Amino acid sequence: MHDLRRQALESKKTVSRKAQSKQTSRDSSRGASRTTSRNQSRNASRNPSDDEEGALSDGTSWSFNSIDDALATEEIDSPTEGWRADLGDIIEQILDRKRSSGTGREETLATFNRMAMAKYINEEIGDQTEDLYGALLKSVKMKSSEKEASLALKALALITITDPSDMAYDATRQSLKEVISDFPSATVKSSAIHTLGAIAFYGGASPEEILGAMDFLLEIIESDGSSAGALDSGVVVTAALEEWGFLATQVEDLEQESSEAMEVFIDQLESSEPSVTIAAGENIALLFEKSFTEREEDENSDEDDEAEDGDPRDTPKMIKRYDPCRNINHLKHQLSTLASISSRRLSKKDKKSLHTNFADILNSVQNPTRGPRYQNALNQETGKRYGSRLVVRIHQTGVMKIDAWWKLLRLRALRRILGGGFMTHYEKNEVVFESLP
């Protein structure tokens, strides 16, 4: 099991197509459907309100819109004594669909999700993973209710991160893509997108399949949700942006992917939906970050291609490998505008979120080796920049430093899956721990 869990992170250090032969067939063809209604699509449909999201807060919510939300370490209520026996009963109920009603299945799945977030249940799942996948996919494909489908999709992601299987992606990919395309609910579509990202990352997808999944997601983003049957759906496009970024953290060389993806993300900066705009901006920051790599020992120093000086001396020298954006001045202007936006149509919370996030994103575009919440000010005592001030507290003594965009995007993804159970899994689940070294 240790080897399999490690394989979930190490076996597919994905490299771009530049380092591979051109594939003749991809998971999806982006040429089949291009939406042309840009004016229409900029009016993205709203995300659910707090009240609406609260109605599905029992294990279905994937929303962590702010960096502060992602960093929060408040833990989920732990199940009472005897939870193992209760979990065994719950698993039996999930597998025995014939004796349950729709409402009963919703309650069962909600309980399972809370337990799977609050506890590391790898041993309790045992050899039932494959059977659970089958039962949960039935709950999704039966289209009995939005809530049941959303809960089942969350359960699929939780099982995959708890008990990784190198067959999970192959077993679920097609069904998840059908849900994304065919399910009438945008909420369920977005949940399926998040589950697809989680299972691709931890469920045995090959390097080519990771890139194929990213192509599939990019088509959804570029078409403003149209390719998923959800034109102008903010929740669907946001989910696709977030999972594209999450999967991209596994790709070692994004040079060949950068040009097209960058254009799509820049286009989404014009969205009227703040969550779409922020997710697009964070992916842009990731692409700039990925355009720099550590200088090799045998490489000559070229100051024009090196990261700007003034950073701590113990950090490795970084070299620019390629230009991720064709029109950098136009992009900087867009980011600067978003960092100081003052539209009346925005709530105070959205305005603050846009200002904070895009100040960080602009700073990283100007200096790609500097991650989120980087302080440029110099410490008067050391003469060094304060650098990244973004940390996650590990109980009372430990600190996890989030000093790069790839770390932040992984943290966000893990918090979407695990919610308040993130800290429990970080301490006990090797897959989660190794995701954020």
Side-chain angles (χ1 to χ4, degrees):
M1 183 58 66
H2 170 85
D3 291 339
L4 183 57
R5 284 193 230 137
R6 186 173 293 278
Q7 176 184 328
L9 288 173
E10 294 182 353
S11 68
K12 53 179 187 301
K13 275 286 186 179
T14 307
V15 295
S16 76
R17 297 168 190 79
K18 181 181 179 184
Q20 305 172 26
S21 61
K22 275 272 190 178
Q23 293 182 45
T24 57
S25 175
R26 302 302 305 273
D27 269 10
S28 60
S29 171
R30 201 177 287 117
S33 169
R34 303 283 191 195
T35 231
T36 56
S37 57
R38 281 285 137 192
N39 292 333
Q40 234 185 357
S41 59
R42 291 283 62 92
N43 297 318
S45 66
R46 63 185 177 83
N47 279 327
S49 69
D50 292 339
D51 291 339
E52 291 168 329
E53 193 168 281
L56 292 177
S57 63
D58 47 1
T60 61
S61 176
W62 298 87
S63 177
F64 285 95
N65 287 332
S66 74
I67 290 178
D68 292 333
D69 286 341
L71 296 178
T73 55
E74 181 178 351
E75 297 186 17
I76 196 170
D77 291 338
S78 185
T80 57
E81 290 185 16
W83 66 269
R84 285 186 174 84
D86 293 340
L87 178 59
D89 293 339
I90 291 293
I91 290 174
E92 284 187 20
Q93 292 171 33
I94 292 174
L95 296 176
D96 188 10
R97 287 178 50 85
K98 293 181 181 179
R99 299 183 183 181
S100 60
S101 65
T103 302
R105 287 193 297 273
E106 290 172 5
E107 293 174 354
T108 297
L109 289 168
T111 302
F112 176 84
N113 289 352
R114 284 194 293 269
M115 286 185 171
M117 286 188 282
K119 297 289 186 180
Y120 178 48
I121 61 171
N122 176 273
E123 292 183 3
E124 288 70 28
I125 291 176
D127 59 358
Q128 301 175 94
T129 300
E130 188 175 340
D131 292 336
L132 283 167
Y133 278 139
L136 293 168
L137 285 172
K138 282 183 181 177
S139 282
V140 177
K141 292 192 286 188
M142 290 288 288
K143 299 182 182 179
S144 51
S145 78
E146 177 182 295
K147 188 172 183 180
E148 181 182 344
S150 297
L151 287 163
L153 288 162
K154 188 65 172 282
L156 283 168
L158 285 164
I159 290 171
T160 302
I161 202 169
T162 299
D163 186 28
S165 164
D166 58 1
M167 299 300 293
Y169 187 68
D170 286 342
T172 61
R173 170 183 56 187
Q174 191 56 42
S175 294
L176 291 172
K177 287 186 175 181
E178 288 173 3
V179 172
I180 293 167
S181 299
D182 301 336
F183 208 100
S185 162
T187 298
V188 174
K189 288 176 186 288
S190 65
S191 295
I193 288 169
H194 286 304
T195 299
L196 179 71
I199 295 181
F201 198 98
Y202 294 110
S206 68
E208 293 78 12
E209 287 170 330
I210 290 286
L211 293 169
M214 289 169 64
D215 277 355
F216 175 76
L217 295 169
L218 194 65
E219 185 176 1
I220 294 173
I221 300 162
E222 185 176 26
S223 68
D224 296 300
S226 178
S227 68
L231 180 61
D232 295 339
S233 170
V235 293
V236 169
V237 176
T238 299
L241 282 161
E242 290 173 340
E243 296 308 323
W244 191 98
F246 179 42
L247 292 178
T249 66
Q250 269 205 10
V251 181
E252 189 174 328
D253 178 1
L254 278 170
E255 180 175 0
Q256 191 157 332
E257 282 68 32
S258 285
S259 179
E260 182 177 8
M262 184 67 74
E263 290 183 13
V264 173
F265 300 151
I266 289 174
D267 190 38
Q268 290 297 343
L269 294 179
E270 299 176 10
S271 172
S272 60
E273 178 57 61
S275 65
V276 170
T277 311
I278 290 169
E282 290 182 345
N283 284 353
I284 289 169
L286 177 69
L287 289 174
F288 273 86
E289 180 176 89
K290 286 277 193 177
S291 70
F292 277 69
T293 64
E294 289 186 28
R295 188 176 70 194
E296 303 292 341
E297 291 183 4
D298 59 350
E299 287 185 301
N300 294 324
S301 174
D302 183 347
E303 293 186 3
D304 289 338
D305 287 337
E306 284 193 9
E308 188 174 313
D309 201 8
D311 295 320
R313 299 299 178 188
D314 56 351
T315 59
K317 283 292 184 181
M318 305 296 286
I319 303 292
K320 180 180 177 181
R321 304 299 180 181
Y322 55 89
D323 289 313
C325 180
R326 295 172 183 170
N327 192 343
I328 185 68
N329 290 329
H330 176 65
L331 173 60
K332 287 179 180 178
H333 175 73
Q334 284 183 284
L335 298 177
S336 179
T337 299
L338 287 165
S340 57
I341 194 168
S342 59
S343 173
R344 291 183 179 180
R345 66 176 177 78
L346 293 170
S347 67
K348 287 184 179 179
K349 182 179 179 181
D350 284 341
K351 227 178 271 188
K352 180 181 178 182
S353 185
L354 286 166
H355 291 172
T356 302
N357 281 279
F358 279 97
D360 281 352
I361 293 163
L362 177 60
N363 190 27
S364 292
V365 166
Q366 292 170 331
N367 303 284
T369 60
R370 298 176 185 175
R373 297 286 171 89
Y374 189 99
Q375 278 203 356
N376 294 316
L378 294 176
N379 184 317
Q380 296 301 315
E381 294 182 3
T382 65
K384 299 178 182 179
R385 299 185 191 278
Y386 282 102
S388 179
R389 306 297 290 269
L390 204 58
V391 297
V392 176
R393 301 289 175 186
I394 309 297
H395 293 310
Q396 296 182 351
T397 57
V399 170
M400 181 200 310
K401 198 168 187 179
I402 307 298
D403 55 1
W405 287 100
W406 72 264
K407 289 184 181 180
L408 179 60
L409 295 188
R410 286 195 185 182
L411 174 64
R412 280 188 185 279
L414 289 167
R415 289 281 283 137
R416 285 194 296 268
I417 300 167
L418 299 169
F422 167 75
M423 202 55 64
T424 294
H425 281 260
Y426 183 75
E427 293 180 332
K428 298 181 179 179
N429 185 339
E430 188 175 1
V431 165
V432 174
F433 181 79
E434 291 181 353
S435 295
L436 288 167

